[in-house]
Amino acid sequence: MKRLIVLFLFFYHCAPAQSSSADLLPEVLALNIIEPAENKIEKLGKFETGFNLPKTLKNQIDDYLFGRPHKRGGINPFVSWDLDVQARFVHLQSGKIHDVTGFFYRAMKRDLKSGQWEEAENNYPVRIRFAPPLEGKWKMDVKVIVKGKETYHSESLYFEVLSSENKGYVRMHKDKQFFERDGEIIYPTGTNLPFPIVDNNMFYSKNPKDVLNLNAWVQFREMVSRYALEGGKYFRFFLNSSSTDFEFEELGYYYDRQHFAWEVDRMLEICEENDLLVDFNMMHHAVFMKLGDYYQFNYDFSDYWPGDYWPYRDLQPVSGYSILLNSKQPSDMFLKEESLRYLKEKVRYIMARWGYSTAISYFEVMSEPWHIDEHWMNHDIPYDSLGEDGDRARRAAYNYHSVISEYFKDSIRNVNHLLGAVGRFPVGTTDIFSHNMNKKIKNIDSTWFLDDIDFLSISYYTPRPEKLLISKSGAKNNRCEEGENSAACTIERLQRTYQKPVMFGESDHGDNTPICAELLSHRIDLMRYAFLGAAGHYTWSGFNYPDTSSSHDHPQDERLIWPKIINAKDFYNESWHLDLIENFGQQGREKSKIKGYSKDLKEHQYIINTAKTKIGGYIYNRTFNVYTASGEMEKAIDSTSTCFLKEDYLRKPVEITWKPSKMKIEGVKPLRKYRIYYYGFNRGSFLNVITVRASLFGKLKLVHPSMEAHKNDNPLVWYRAELFPAAD
């Protein structure tokens, strides 16, 4: 009998516990509205909710956050395989569903006395952000999946969304050539405000002991606010390991860099309040270089330190991806599955935290992929090289764009934002790739062909005044002839090949050239790029300025170019220009000599609408350039200067009039009158108007103002022309 009792007790204790159905259900969480404060939720406005962590989950997360680096236990709240927070929003009237990912949030605040950031009180460390696209009643439900198992869910939260004047997301225009917002075409024209760069920022730093001081971000936020106040509308921004990125030293561990993410939150709030639109680049290129360019040695991939050039060792830790892969080859992180797993999580966090915002015009996957595996000091650029190293770098660039764009569009199902891929302007007269082509190349970077890449973002740097119209064959302005080397024909070729918009994410004249012409060459670019068929244009140098505490010498205040950027932005976003590009018919261009000179000194490009009733364009005197634009030739720019142009004819300022070398618009209505309005170089102000009749062959001559190669005159003029009288 005793034996039976013992056996009974044994089986009783070993048998699975019988729980009620209620015990098996996920624990219920209470959702709290964090923003807006008064619960006045507006259509397309920021709606933020959050919840406190159950004690068990909090303890598990703390085990991870405060554990041993690279060997942490517990639950990592930043990666979805440990903690996945999924929110579902249902619009009750229409039944439309929006799924949003939550994210872990560490509240921060600034301590101006110490010059550092401090942790702030935070009752809701898990946040969900959403911009409801429809007014009316909504329901919100959240489920929390821990280690693959649904462990918690929320009570349903009901809320009402009010009407508002908030603008929506930037979309692709129906012609796949330009962008639009709320059904209206836009022409983004702005500058790069890439990240905090003044004060003692690590970027461009030559001091290995530099650490980011709070003042760098104070100044940066003030710069963004000032740009908005002066009338700026568009700028480009990067996640950079020195001051904005939330992951570097340890993969998946974003906790110690939450102050940077918090600052990006504040920056976007400024943008949302002022209707600024941000081109958001998700990865600055220094992190995938062997040796970072422009002295960014602290935040390149591994510990290649220029000992032969530099008097001290690298004091900063290497990239977490280098540690994970036990590799000194940056391309590994784009080719290995274990690193791609973390890179996708990083994009997931970006979209969870900032993907709600209508202030982000579009995202770019990475900056300048041609730097993959580059060693800056050795001038070793595998991406442009033949052989195994070059094939590997190009394969890495393509693979990363392929993996991330598919993840962006299919896995996390982003429907709010367009996604772009950065490349250089294709070299030559037939190329369609952003790297130099050679028949011996086995692997090409064909990123731009990817279905999940929406647009092409171009980097283009050269000081040459003829860079947009180098060679032109044949007598037809409006036709891209074989062998023609012009920016407009390159853009036409890219659009025809990829069926995607082409924009200039950054352009400039090259290192140390802006100061030569007092940024006047930027003005030349700003007045030309919109007539190439491109979808937008962002200048590069527009953010450096003198600062006594800076670790890099900025001799010139580049913010002085802002009024010119804003002037161009206003000009291109007037209704007449937007109507012109929305009804884009054809692009034309010509260059010509003037009497007494054997070289082409005069340049002209334009766009005609489909009805041939409206035209916009510019005329440019090429003898106004980086060499001559300052108007101080007595200072003798010698051949060692970055602003020196070796061609003698480009170093002699020449006045150009409309005759005897007449410029002309081709393809207009024959024998019809057009009224042409001219606008000046300095402020874009009206100069004069003239009425001209087109020839029997549909050519319209331009009787334009005199163009003198001096900054106080009009070395370049805009014009717009309209059929007169307007009715046919």
Side-chain angles (χ1 to χ4, degrees), residues 227-238:
Y227 183 67
L229 184 64
E230 292 189 15
K233 176 78 170 180
Y234 306 95
F235 72 93
R236 187 164 175 250
F237 171 81
F238 298 76

Side-chain angles (χ1 to χ4, degrees), residues 154-173:
S154 73
E155 299 173 337
S156 293
L157 175 67
Y158 293 88
F159 60 95
E160 187 164 1
V161 174
L162 308 175
S163 63
S164 76
E165 296 182 359
N166 295 327
K167 294 186 178 180
Y169 301 98
V170 172
R171 307 292 189 194
M172 188 96 71
H173 188 254

Side-chain angles (χ1 to χ4, degrees), residues 397-676:
Y398 174 79
N399 190 61
Y400 182 62
H401 280 93
S402 177
V403 168
I404 293 303
S405 62
E406 183 179 18
Y407 181 76
F408 187 90
K409 293 295 181 71
D410 297 336
S411 297
I412 58 177
R413 297 184 298 279
N414 178 275
V415 296
N416 292 336
H417 295 97
L418 301 173
L419 186 65
V422 175
R424 287 176 299 197
F425 216 38
V427 176
T429 60
T430 59
D431 286 347
I432 58 170
F433 299 112
S434 68
H435 52 281
N436 297 324
M437 289 299 298
N438 187 296
K439 292 181 180 179
K440 296 180 181 180
I441 286 179
K442 294 180 181 178
N443 288 92
I444 62 172
D445 176 9
S446 54
T447 290
W448 286 342
F449 277 115
L450 291 168
D451 290 339
D452 293 324
I453 294 296
D454 297 306
F455 67 93
L456 283 54
S457 180
I458 301 290
S459 292
Y460 190 33
Y461 288 85
T462 174
R464 304 199 57 76
E466 75 276 29
K467 61 185 175 182
L468 300 185
L469 188 51
I470 299 170
S471 68
K472 173 146 179 53
S473 305
K476 298 290 185 182
N477 283 3
N478 303 352
R479 182 185 303 165
C480 291
E481 306 286 353
E482 183 177 352
E484 180 176 333
N485 191 354
S486 68
C489 291
T490 299
I491 291 171
E492 180 183 296
R493 184 167 67 247
L494 294 175
Q495 290 169 342
R496 185 174 62 249
T497 302
Y498 300 107
Q499 297 293 298
K500 298 171 183 179
V502 179
M503 57 161 277
F504 290 89
E506 56 186 89
S507 78
D508 202 338
H509 313 287
D511 292 343
N512 302 316
T513 54
I515 191 172
C516 304
E518 300 174 352
L519 296 166
L520 291 168
S521 294
H522 280 53
R523 179 65 167 158
I524 297 169
D525 285 355
L526 286 161
M527 295 183 72
R528 295 195 292 170
Y529 275 55
F531 300 104
L532 306 176
H537 175 217
Y538 299 80
T539 63
W540 177 249
S541 295
F543 52 89
N544 286 322
Y545 56 91
D547 185 83
T548 55
S549 59
S550 176
S551 54
H552 181 65
D553 183 26
H554 304 301
Q556 183 172 5
D557 190 344
E558 294 174 353
R559 298 170 300 179
L560 295 175
I561 194 61
W562 289 1
K564 307 303 182 185
I565 293 169
I566 293 161
N567 177 227
K569 177 265 298 182
D570 291 341
F571 190 79
Y572 296 140
N573 285 278
E574 289 182 7
S575 59
W576 74 269
H577 184 259
L578 297 180
D579 180 72
L580 177 70
I581 61 174
E582 185 164 25
N583 298 284
F584 188 98
Q586 53 188 333
Q587 195 274 350
R589 68 226 149 268
E590 62 177 335
K591 58 193 182 77
S592 71
K593 304 175 180 61
I594 64 172
K595 188 176 181 180
Y597 289 83
S598 60
K599 303 294 184 180
D600 296 311
L601 300 182
K602 200 173 181 180
E603 176 184 302
H604 170 220
Q605 300 202 63
Y606 55 88
I607 293 171
I608 307 175
N609 70 353
T610 52
K612 300 184 179 182
T613 57
K614 294 182 180 180
I615 309 150
Y618 73 85
I619 309 164
Y620 167 47
N621 178 348
R622 288 177 169 179
T623 67
F624 184 77
N625 50 56
V626 291
Y627 187 90
T628 65
S630 67
E632 298 176 352
M633 297 304 299
E634 66 276 6
K635 291 187 177 179
I637 300 174
D638 63 29
S639 59
T640 63
S641 169
T642 52
C643 301
F644 184 78
L645 298 174
K646 63 180 181 179
E647 292 83 359
D648 181 68
Y649 68 92
L650 292 174
R651 303 199 305 273
K652 295 179 180 178
V654 177
E655 181 182 0
I656 293 177
T657 62
W658 70 272
K659 59 182 182 180
S661 303
K662 302 180 181 68
M663 308 300 278
K664 58 188 178 300
I665 304 168
E666 294 182 357
V668 300
K669 292 178 178 291
L671 302 176
R672 297 298 303 274
K673 286 183 178 181
Y674 286 81
R675 181 160 285 179
I676 307 173

